[in-house]
Amino acid sequence: DGPSAAYEPSMTTLSQIQVEIPGRKPDDPVISAEEFQQGTQIYFERCAGCHGVLRKGATGKPLTTDITRENGYDYLHSFITYGSPAGMPNWGTSGELSEEHVDLMARYLLIEPPAPPEWGMPEMRDSWEVVVAPEDRPTEKMNDIDIDNLMSVTLRDAGQIALIDGGTYEIKAVINTGYAVHISRISASGRYLFVIGRDALVNMIDLWMETPATVAKLKVGIEARSVETSKFEGYEDQYAIAGSYWPPQYVIMDGDTLEPLKIMSTRGMIYDEQTYHPEPRVASIVSSHFAPEFIVNVKETGKILFVDYSDIRNLKVTEIEAERFLHDGGFDSTKRYFLVAANARGKIAVVDTKEDKLTALIETGGQTPHPGRGANFVHPVYGPVWATSHLGDETVTLIGTDPEGHADNAWKVVDTFYALGGGSLFIKTHPTSDHLYVDAPLNPDAETSASVAVFKISEMTADADAEFVTLPIGEWAGISEGQPRVVQPEFNKDGNEIWFSVWNGKEQESAIVVVDDRTLELKHVIKDPRLVTPTGKFNVLNTREDIY
Ligand code: DHE
């Protein structure tokens, strides 16, 4: 017996492995081709973000047919109708899906999902459009807009963004984009605005034009959520990056034209089990301030990638083992550490962008942390902290972020207190503000989902639960129809006003409510027939400089 036995390849052949025939099974519910097509569209628009294109689950539970068939039609129907306090929206009772569509989706989920196509360089290049070439663009700012105080607002169901002047509240432009733009990000110089639709269309908008408009477009996949630009000194405005949910990949683009330069797949092994995952989606991406690197968070495999863009033909990627189901996050106040929620694991992963290492994995104690970019402030007792709220319960968790000045508190949960209720998505403060704002847009209770909790930072103590006041933002908007949800607080440039989206149904009235941060009084309500389903808002200065 020589060493050959150890090297003998496995003799298992395909004929010995039990394979399932993809497609329809005899006991599948009856569904017409037309209904299947419509179900696929609704699933893409409403469900895929949480449950995955292949339905393997992440923020939402897995919906593979072994599970859905076990639970059955009635269970699915009632879950889709009423939602759950853990974050599943009440699609039926909120009126967002009709009874007919709820019935369709309950049947649709009992059938195998369709396999979506790949999207490589040929498809990307076909979709690529330079609308205004760099040499035809203005050489100086051609408008009188205070760009740093501009707010880029997602008009979700209209497939547009609105650019709103932070000083006059005037809508300066409404620009057609991909469907349901998820986020806006700004180039290091502040000139270019990048937005990405859920359908993976990236628009690059020139804020120097007389009326800001799209100068380049690229479709980076079928479904996506994140885009960012190179910010390290010497690389300002040089590259952009976009991450996709489907296909699971990220692409580095030219920062002037969006020309796709390099596509990297994220398919591969889950960090701990080391088993293969076919759909590791790209969640948040940030740009390092300490190195020419993008920090790319891969959801299902639980890896944080430091992608070095200084030499993209000889690309170096440092792969950090973090935690599964990475989602959203932001920097600490020094911008050295990046904190990201592994939401379905109830943890925050902290990475050091100077050393390219995992610093800590912290259990928040709450259910499904959802920080957005989080909130940084100096707590009277604990020193510098970063805060997150939770999708699954009413808790707010504070994590110490100052390993030098407050070593005992660093990367630990220093305090937990209660806000309005479960269904919170975003939390916000500003370096000049004494207030911490916590929303609850996905709370099933209409009054709660239309309100915001505000905590006074200077009055926070070590031993009493922090108290809050409730601002009835939805009521202030004066909207009488639908179930408007108040979502994503965002500060203006100076940090003395905070804006809230009052997000209603597509056919109903929505608004943006502006509150005076110092007095907590209503300052202004922006209403306009063009403000269809406003959700995310991004102040140019705060977004560009990672101030939150
Ligand atoms: Fe988001 C951020 C994914 C649902 C509004 N959302 C993010 C990020 C990810 C993400 C990965 C971080 C991007 C980054 O920083 O690079 N969001 C998802 C989903 O997968 C999910 C759960 C389901 C889906 O189908 O999309 C989802 N998100 C929503 C919504 O329903 C919201 C409220 C409304 C909408 O427009 O779809 C919504 N997500 C936002 C906003 C941000 C965001 C406003 C950016 C917050 C910020 O302050 O940076």
Side-chain angles (χ1 to χ4, degrees):
D1 290 338
S4 66
Y7 294 103
E8 202 161 288
S10 158
M11 294 306 290
T12 313
T13 65
L14 259 186
S15 62
Q16 292 167 285
I17 301 171
Q18 199 135 36
V19 291
E20 266 190 14
I21 303 164
R24 236 178 125 190
K25 304 217 173 57
D27 58 345
D28 279 344
V30 178
I31 188 164
S32 69
E34 202 176 294
E35 284 178 319
F36 190 75
Q37 188 65 36
Q38 193 183 15
T40 303
Q41 183 68 19
I42 295 173
Y43 186 83
F44 162 69
E45 287 172 6
R46 307 285 182 187
C47 322
C50 289
H51 299 283
V53 171
L54 302 179
R55 302 193 201 150
K56 288 179 180 294
T59 308
K61 297 223 160 68
L63 294 172
T64 41
T65 50
D66 53 327
I67 297 166
T68 57
R69 286 175 192 175
E70 176 80 34
N71 288 330
Y73 171 88
D74 290 336
Y75 177 90
L76 293 167
H77 188 280
S78 104
F79 220 80
I80 299 169
T81 306
Y82 300 106
S84 81
M88 169 77 176
N90 50 330
W91 296 113
T93 50
S94 70
E96 273 158 291
L97 290 185
S98 64
E99 168 51 34
E100 195 190 320
H101 285 163
V102 173
D103 160 65
L104 169 62
M105 292 317 289
R107 283 183 290 137
Y108 178 82
L109 291 175
L110 296 167
I111 296 181
E112 295 293 333
E118 295 299 322
W119 197 267
M121 196 51 93
E123 291 82 7
M124 276 196 207
R125 290 197 83 90
D126 272 354
S127 78
W128 178 42
E129 197 184 329
V130 179
V131 183
V132 184
E135 58 275 19
D136 299 330
R137 295 177 200 160
T139 51
E140 57 187 51
K141 187 158 88 81
M142 303 298 288
N143 56 51
D144 59 0
I145 302 170
D146 174 6
I147 289 182
D148 274 354
N149 205 20
L150 203 58
M151 204 66 94
S152 172
V153 180
T154 294
L155 304 178
R156 191 186 183 286
D157 294 5
Q160 295 173 322
I161 57 148
L163 297 179
I164 305 183
D165 190 307
T168 62
Y169 314 123
E170 189 192 332
I171 299 180
K172 292 285 186 186
V174 172
I175 298 171
N176 290 334
T177 58
Y179 172 69
V181 157
H182 219 86
I183 60 166
S184 295
R185 294 291 184 249
I186 316 285
S187 72
S189 73
R191 172 174 183 172
Y192 292 111
L193 169 69
F194 294 78
V195 300
I196 187 155
R198 179 171 293 247
D199 55 3
L201 181 68
V202 178
N203 280 62
M204 178 178 169
I205 293 157
D206 186 354
L207 299 177
W208 278 12
M209 289 162 85
E210 204 173 313
T211 303
T214 297
V215 290
K217 288 193 243 183
L218 178 72
K219 190 162 153 62
V220 298
I222 310 285
E223 239 217 288
R225 298 289 183 281
S226 50
V227 65
E228 184 53 294
T229 76
S230 55
K231 288 191 178 157
F232 189 62
E233 214 185 313
Y235 295 90
E236 293 94 341
D237 294 18
Q238 199 169 333
Y239 295 116
I241 182 172
S244 306
Y245 270 15
W246 189 273
Q249 63 195 27
Y250 57 92
V251 57
I252 299 175
M253 301 159 281
D254 179 84
D256 254 349
T257 62
L258 291 185
E259 179 179 7
L261 303 174
K262 180 116 182 170
I263 308 171
M264 296 287 289
S265 173
T266 51
R267 286 187 174 105
M269 297 298 171
I270 299 170
Y271 87 96
D272 53 350
E273 286 172 2
Q274 307 207 23
T275 51
Y276 181 74
H277 198 291
E279 190 192 355
R281 299 177 284 170
V282 176
S284 47
I285 301 181
V286 290
S287 192
S288 172
H289 298 270
F290 283 84
E293 287 176 340
F294 293 121
I295 296 138
V296 176
N297 295 278
V298 188
K299 204 181 275 270
E300 281 77 7
T301 51
K303 294 173 180 174
I304 302 176
L305 310 177
F306 286 79
V307 179
D308 181 339
Y309 53 73
S310 63
D311 180 4
I312 59 173
R313 298 197 69 155
N314 300 288
L315 196 75
K316 285 202 258 337
V317 179
T318 306
E319 188 181 286
I320 312 279
E321 296 180 0
E323 181 53 284
R324 290 167 74 173
F325 309 121
L326 300 171
H327 192 75
D328 52 347
F331 286 107
D332 75 310
S333 60
T334 68
K335 300 174 195 174
R336 171 171 171 177
Y337 298 95
F338 175 69
L339 297 96
V340 55
N343 60 14
R345 287 288 157 96
K347 289 185 191 157
I348 300 291
V350 187
V351 283
D352 180 349
T353 66
K354 201 168 165 188
E355 304 280 338
D356 288 12
K357 283 201 174 109
L358 183 74
T359 302
L361 268 179
I362 306 154
E363 243 169 275
T364 66
Q367 205 186 335
T368 322
H370 194 287
R373 287 168 286 176
N376 286 295
F377 60 93
V378 181
H379 189 283
V381 181
Y382 305 115
V385 295
W386 177 90
T388 183
S389 56
H390 294 82
L391 189 52
D393 63 34
E394 64 275 62
T395 56
V396 173
T397 296
L398 308 185
I399 291 170
T401 57
D402 182 19
E404 265 146 45
H406 297 79
D408 285 355
N409 297 334
W411 319 127
K412 289 181 191 140
V413 173
V414 291
D415 203 5
T416 299
F417 45 81
Y418 301 106
L420 281 174
S424 174
L425 291 178
F426 301 106
I427 184 164
K428 192 62 57 85
T429 187
H430 185 275
T432 66
S433 169
D434 189 29
H435 292 128
L436 177 69
Y437 297 83
V438 186
D439 70 7
L442 295 187
N443 195 287
D445 176 63
E447 200 179 317
T448 308
S449 70
S451 304
V452 155
V454 192
F455 296 85
K456 207 165 172 60
I457 292 169
S458 56
E459 287 176 6
M460 290 180 178
T461 61
D463 38 40
D465 245 348
E467 303 226 338
F468 64 85
V469 294
T470 304
L471 304 185
I473 304 287
E475 202 184 302
W476 286 352
I479 291 171
S480 52
E481 51 182 348
Q483 184 187 339
R485 299 170 194 274
V486 170
V487 69
Q488 207 238 5
E490 178 78 354
F491 275 91
N492 67 343
K493 174 180 79 168
D494 294 332
N496 56 10
E497 276 179 8
I498 183 153
W499 296 32
F500 299 91
S501 298
V502 182
W503 169 27
N504 215 344
K506 189 179 175 185
E507 309 297 337
Q508 294 156 337
E509 189 177 40
S510 288
I512 289 174
V513 167
V514 181
V515 172
D516 183 322
D517 171 68
R518 304 307 188 249
T519 63
L520 299 185
E521 278 166 11
L522 173 66
K523 192 154 183 190
H524 192 79
V525 178
I526 310 176
K527 281 191 188 172
D528 190 293
R530 292 171 291 175
L531 278 188
V532 177
T533 56
T535 52
K537 301 162 299 306
F538 303 86
N539 166 268
V540 165
L541 179 73
N542 295 335
T543 306
R544 186 177 85 225
E545 300 202 343
D546 290 303
I547 299 169
Y548 32 78

